[in-house]
Amino acid sequence: MIDLHTHSLFSDGELIPSELARRARHAGYRAVAVTDHGDASNIDFIIPRIAGVCQSLSMAYGLDVIPGIELTHVPPADIHELTGAARKLGAKLVVVHGETIVEPVEPGTNAAAIAARVDILAHPGLITEEEVRLAAERGVCLEITARRGHSLTNGHVAALARQYGALLVLNTDAHSPGNLISLEMARKIARGAGLAESETEVMFRNSERLVRKIVNP
Ligand SMILES: [Zn+2]
Ligand SMILES: [Zn+2]
């Protein structure tokens, strides 16, 4: 399992990065990204600290632990600049908290994330056809999520991604150890989103490719 969207104590997750990494390995993971909620107030605090521990955790626990950030409820006009700032601070993966239907995320967030060429637009809710077309053009991955609530629009995201050739990745958005899933569960969630087996394999390969790009730049 490769999971590129999880939370630690640096935002509202339950575990410090070390326990998250160890539990991910124990759950059979090959790679996990720690992507805590960030905005202009805290990314300079969070990212260097997470980045500082990821390499030793990767070596000790035998999986790729990737330092990232999830820009969350950031004003859309600031997403481009904060994406650059996050990368400079050491975020190897920039995720944006997309327009899920279960939270009042500011409209325009999906479009701003795609324009900023972030790595993953998480739980993009009822993303529009034009936004999915642009995500495909810019290589921004759209997320199929295991997270309750956010997952309500997985089918919509999967269908439009198929239509416009956008890249999909499947993540848990785990906040506690019980949210980590097996590859078997990931396959079930993908099927539930309407993806064929072959499309699910392509989706898993997209995550693998992202990890390779990060680990061997
Ligand atoms: Zn989110
Ligand atoms: Zn999240």
Side-chain angles (χ1 to χ4, degrees):
M1 177 71 190
I2 294 176
D3 189 350
L4 300 175
H5 181 175
T6 68
H7 295 272
S8 80
L9 266 181
F10 279 98
S11 59
D12 56 351
E14 290 178 10
L15 306 177
I16 57 173
S18 297
E19 185 169 353
L20 179 58
R22 177 60 199 136
R23 283 184 181 264
R25 182 63 197 146
H26 189 252
Y29 278 39
R30 295 162 47 203
V32 65
V34 185
T35 55
D36 277 300
H37 297 294
D39 68 8
S41 73
N42 67 357
I43 59 169
D44 62 331
F45 174 72
I46 295 177
I47 295 172
R49 276 170 175 74
I50 291 176
V53 77
C54 281
Q55 200 179 351
S56 62
L57 289 176
S58 298
M59 281 161 54
Y61 291 154
L63 77 169
D64 292 316
V65 186
I66 296 163
I69 194 78
E70 181 181 16
L71 299 177
T72 304
H73 289 277
V74 163
D78 298 341
I79 286 177
H80 189 273
E81 192 186 329
L82 272 189
T83 297
R87 293 198 198 282
K88 270 200 202 106
L89 286 162
K92 301 270 199 268
L93 191 82
V94 176
V95 177
V96 162
H97 184 89
E99 295 177 43
T100 171
I101 61 170
V102 297
E103 280 177 32
V105 178
E106 180 74 3
T109 297
N110 285 349
I114 293 161
R117 293 176 193 268
V118 302
D119 299 295
I120 298 172
L121 174 55
H123 45 71
L126 294 173
I127 186 170
T128 67
E129 295 194 21
E130 176 62 8
E131 285 161 356
V132 174
R133 193 184 65 71
L134 283 170
E137 198 176 288
R138 294 183 183 173
V140 174
C141 296
L142 303 179
E143 187 185 66
I144 299 298
T145 177
R147 187 84 178 150
R148 60 185 152 71
H150 298 334
S151 60
L152 288 168
T153 54
N154 277 346
H156 169 78
V157 175
L160 285 190
R162 174 187 297 129
Q163 192 177 338
Y164 291 97
L167 301 170
L168 291 174
V169 291
L170 189 150
N171 299 318
T172 66
D173 202 351
H175 287 66
S176 51
N179 297 150
L180 301 175
I181 61 172
S182 64
L183 200 56
E184 189 192 349
M185 179 55 84
R187 285 185 207 284
K188 286 180 183 171
I189 291 165
R191 264 181 75 190
L195 293 175
E197 256 176 57
S198 58
E199 293 173 314
T200 301
E201 293 312 313
V202 169
M203 175 167 69
F204 290 162
R205 280 203 293 278
N206 293 336
S207 297
E208 250 177 69
R209 201 172 305 125
L210 263 178
V211 171
R212 269 207 306 277
K213 204 173 82 182
I214 292 164
V215 176
N216 308 306

